Amino acid sequence: MSNPHVGKGKGFTAWDGAPVLITGGTGFLGSRVADHLQRLGANVVSAGRQDADLRDRAEATRLFSRVKPVVVFHCAVDGGGIGWM
């Protein structure tokens, strides 16, 4: 898929105004990715467990239809996170 944001002029980044979806965006990693992309000018939508159950196909479809992301960063985990030894 081509990015309509590329080549818009000096000082413009490919992220300026680009719709981006981050699954797990309220978690440790996802929230940092979201912060960085927002600083680059992306239009970030973070979907955490309380926002959408991505295991539910209909709910995931509604989320993707609403956001229409050009890229998805999948930072969500299933089962409450990573276990440390």
Side-chain angles (χ1 to χ4, degrees):
M1 174 189 301
S2 65
N3 186 339
H5 304 285
V6 173
K8 296 287 185 175
K10 191 171 187 165
F12 191 90
T13 72
W15 295 109
D16 282 345
V20 174
L21 174 63
I22 302 176
T23 66
T26 59
F28 178 80
L29 180 61
S31 64
R32 278 143 184 85
V33 171
D35 289 344
H36 184 70
L37 289 169
Q38 285 174 333
R39 282 193 300 273
L40 293 174
N43 181 14
V44 175
V45 174
S46 295
R49 210 173 266 142
Q50 66 278 8
D51 302 311
D53 182 355
L54 298 176
R55 298 170 298 179
D56 180 328
R57 174 175 245 151
E59 198 168 336
T61 299
R62 281 191 297 275
L63 177 64
F64 275 76
S65 294
R66 179 175 59 85
V67 176
K68 295 179 180 50
V70 295
V71 69
V72 176
F73 288 87
H74 181 52
C75 301
V77 296
D78 188 22
I82 301 170
W84 299 99
M85 297 175 98

